[in-house]
Amino acid sequence: ASADPTAYFDAVIAADGKIEPRDEMPEAYRKGLIRQIAQHAHSEIIGMQPEGNWISRAPSLKRKAILLAKVQDEAGHGLYLYAAAETLGIDRAELYRLLLAGKQKYSSIFNYPTLTWADVGAVGWLVDGAAIVNQVPLCRCSYGPYARAMIRICKEESFHQRQGYEILYTLATGTPEQKAMAQDAVDRWWYPSLAMFGPPDTDSTHSAQSMAWKIKRFSNDDLRQKFVDMTVQQAGVLGLVLPDPGLSWNEERGHWDYTQPDYDELFTVIKGDGPCNRERMAHRQAAWDDGAWVREAAMAYAEKKKVTT
Ligand code: ACO
């Protein structure tokens, strides 16, 4: 260790390098990363529920196979992220415990219901689209294991976004009823997707520190704007309307003006009072309880191996 314990850390951050698990790092950096990576991992795992809801009702074998693959990808993302969090010295079982005890969060977006097949399209197009905008800059985050995990995740999210877009395109160019179903899904998912980026910069508790440490590369509002600009154009191609009468091109700013999501609603959902919070947590708890015998059997088998070899 050097005389100044943060000298190495400060130099790596200033040079845009990567901090690795065995490097010295400020305790707040370690804790902040565990908070964000765990929340991200939990989101991937809880996010399997709203889409899993449609696996048995997908409209064709092909659609079902694609959706199954997508939901499995989300499980994989959760596992890379739990592994990345573990490099910071916290046990995966402890992260599950903190989630189930309500001490760690997951993204607000997964507390909304998927009411129709078109919702699977809207989740892919808007929710995964928002996730990509948020996550591509995380590939350049200063913590090595998190940055590297994000590379593969972003590639897979791009495929997810395309499959959602293709579902909506098929519906939007189908019968009038199908087009209405697609529009209804977009009407319900637009503002919750905007809220995924978090509170406005003025109310964001962690942004300033996270940006100084190069965990976050852009602020919540900058990413939200980027998402709006990208999505308005794609909605035009789909022939669907984003449910915001306030959307208008601002020549001076070079961006679309838009109506902010309801941040009181975001905080209500984050606090546990969204439409599906209880259902999502109950399902997660049941999956944990139902898996107890598998964990016990694996431990017993490992013990037996240790004795005989
Ligand atoms: N849902 C749930 N909680 C949120 C959300 C949201 N959409 N947005 C902000 N919050 C929470 C923050 O976690 C923080 O609470 P905490 O201190 O208890 O952790 C609080 O609201 C204030 O927000 P910020 O200070 O702005 O938090 P932060 O700097 O961490 O920014 C963000 C939030 C943008 C979500 C960031 O954590 C991030 O980029 N995370 C990685 C990506 C991610 O988790 N994506 C999950 C959804 S996408 C998917 O999995 C498909």
Side-chain angles (χ1 to χ4, degrees):
S2 56
D4 175 358
T6 66
Y8 176 78
F9 176 85
D10 293 342
V12 171
I13 298 293
D16 234 341
K18 293 275 180 268
I19 297 295
E20 295 298 338
R22 289 191 178 81
D23 295 342
E24 284 183 71
M25 59 185 93
E27 187 54 16
Y29 177 83
R30 197 182 68 82
K31 283 218 170 100
L33 272 171
I34 291 177
R35 176 191 68 81
Q36 178 168 329
I37 301 173
Q39 177 170 321
H40 195 164
H42 299 325
S43 303
E44 301 282 357
I45 299 296
I46 301 272
M48 294 168 73
Q49 293 184 41
E51 292 181 286
N53 182 34
W54 281 93
I55 290 174
S56 61
R57 291 175 288 160
S60 71
L61 180 59
K62 187 176 140 210
R63 297 277 183 209
K64 184 171 175 148
I66 295 169
L67 185 57
L68 259 177
K70 185 193 175 214
V71 173
Q72 284 178 343
D73 284 352
E74 308 296 358
H77 297 176
L79 296 183
Y80 316 148
L81 289 164
Y82 284 125
E86 284 189 307
T87 65
L88 291 157
I90 188 157
D91 189 59
R92 188 175 310 193
E94 175 66 2
L95 296 173
Y96 290 148
R97 196 189 64 74
L98 290 168
L99 170 69
L100 293 174
K103 299 247 161 68
Q104 282 181 344
K105 297 179 172 144
Y106 60 91
S107 180
S108 53
I109 194 70
F110 301 119
N111 293 307
Y112 291 85
T114 41
L115 302 178
T116 70
W117 170 251
D119 287 29
V120 176
V123 168
W125 178 44
L126 297 174
V127 175
D128 294 326
I132 294 168
V133 170
N134 166 268
Q135 292 173 16
V136 166
L138 291 174
C139 298
R140 292 193 293 116
C141 138
S142 59
Y143 188 58
Y146 191 26
R148 289 188 289 272
M150 291 317 300
I151 294 172
R152 176 161 171 187
I153 292 178
C154 285
K155 286 188 179 159
E156 292 178 350
E157 291 294 356
S158 301
F159 151 69
H160 298 170
Q161 198 260 359
R162 288 296 300 178
Q163 68 86 39
Y165 186 84
E166 198 265 344
I167 289 174
L168 284 186
Y169 187 80
T170 305
L171 292 173
T173 53
T175 64
E177 289 80 5
Q178 286 172 324
K179 184 166 186 186
M181 202 201 314
Q183 183 62 56
D184 169 63
V186 169
D187 288 348
R188 284 181 290 106
W189 286 93
W190 174 246
Y191 284 108
S193 301
L194 289 185
M196 280 172 73
F197 293 93
D201 294 350
T202 43
D203 297 334
S204 167
T205 20
H206 304 291
S207 279
Q209 184 59 77
S210 283
M211 286 175 75
W213 278 333
K214 297 182 180 169
I215 296 170
K216 270 172 127 165
R217 295 286 181 160
F218 298 97
S219 77
N220 298 359
D221 287 331
D222 286 351
L223 291 174
R224 197 171 359 251
Q225 179 73 62
K226 200 174 159 96
F227 173 69
V228 171
D229 291 347
M230 185 183 94
T231 309
V232 168
Q233 198 197 4
Q234 295 175 359
V237 180
L238 284 174
L240 296 173
V241 181
L242 296 175
D244 178 2
L247 267 178
S248 69
W249 177 250
N250 185 322
E251 193 67 51
E252 217 170 285
R253 293 198 309 122
H255 291 292
W256 287 85
D257 288 338
Y258 64 98
T259 307
Q260 293 291 322
D262 178 349
Y263 293 111
D264 290 341
E265 177 178 321
L266 171 66
F267 282 111
T268 303
V269 175
I270 293 177
K271 284 193 193 111
D273 262 333
C276 302
N277 295 59
R278 284 167 194 83
E279 185 185 328
R280 300 290 184 243
M281 288 301 280
H283 189 90
R284 194 67 228 133
Q285 181 70 57
W288 175 253
D289 296 343
D290 291 349
W293 71 272
V294 179
R295 295 189 297 276
E296 281 158 22
M299 292 306 282
Y301 184 72
E303 276 302 315
K304 200 169 106 186
K305 277 284 195 197
K306 230 190 306 181
V307 175
T308 54
T309 54

